[in-house]
Amino acid sequence: MTSPSIFTRILTGDIPGEILLDTERVFAIRDINPQAPLHALVIPKTEQYRDVTELAAGDPGLLAEMVAVAKRLADEHSDGEYRLIFNNGARAGQSVFHVHAHVLGDLEEGDLVGL
Ligand code: DGP
């Protein structure tokens, strides 16, 4: 991965983006191409992990922090219920290789999201 990633560049203000939440180790932005009324990305500040498999093995506590941030976003921007998606690998739809979770809220019943 070439550093810094697109997400880090948003965090540092190098490129524009709406930062929804910023904690010591994790931040969240609104997805540029929303697939639901709430569509945020939860991202660890470190670029060390390219996907959730690496993150879970290397720092499970940080993964738990990402889930807690996802819940906070759902509480603050939706009704508290949310779908959490990690794409892992290009053939699974991953395009940015700095681990991130998609948080989707206010989905219609039966919605299937192809991310
Ligand atoms: P994935 O395909 O799972 O790697 O998700 C990458 C997401 O990142 C995709 O849904 C679109 C989003 N994205 C890409 N570039 C930008 C950007 O410049 N700004 C914002 N806000 N989101 C971006």
Side-chain angles (χ1 to χ4, degrees):
M1 181 178 66
T2 47
S3 216
S5 75
I6 190 97
F7 300 144
T8 298
R9 294 180 68 198
I10 291 172
L11 179 66
T12 58
D14 189 26
I15 59 172
E18 187 184 351
I19 297 174
L20 296 172
L21 219 150
D22 187 357
T23 73
E24 193 184 334
R25 296 214 292 165
V26 176
F27 64 106
I29 62 173
R30 223 178 264 285
D31 195 285
I32 203 169
N33 183 24
Q35 304 297 309
L38 169 62
H39 186 171
L41 302 172
V42 178
I43 308 152
K45 290 183 177 174
T46 177
E47 297 192 14
Q48 189 179 346
Y49 307 105
R50 55 186 276 123
D51 61 33
V52 72
T53 309
E54 286 189 3
L55 175 62
D59 193 341
L62 184 54
L63 175 57
E65 283 183 44
M66 290 175 67
V67 175
V69 165
K71 172 61 174 158
R72 266 184 68 187
L73 289 168
D75 284 339
E76 291 172 15
H77 297 275
S78 180
D79 60 5
E81 299 189 346
Y82 62 102
R83 183 174 296 168
L84 197 58
I85 296 173
F86 290 89
N87 294 326
N88 298 285
R91 290 192 59 217
Q94 187 174 8
S95 59
V96 179
F97 294 87
H98 173 178
V99 63
H100 55 282
H102 296 259
V103 181
L104 299 149
D106 285 334
L107 293 157
E108 296 295 323
E109 194 164 332
D111 256 359
L112 282 176
V113 178
L115 287 170

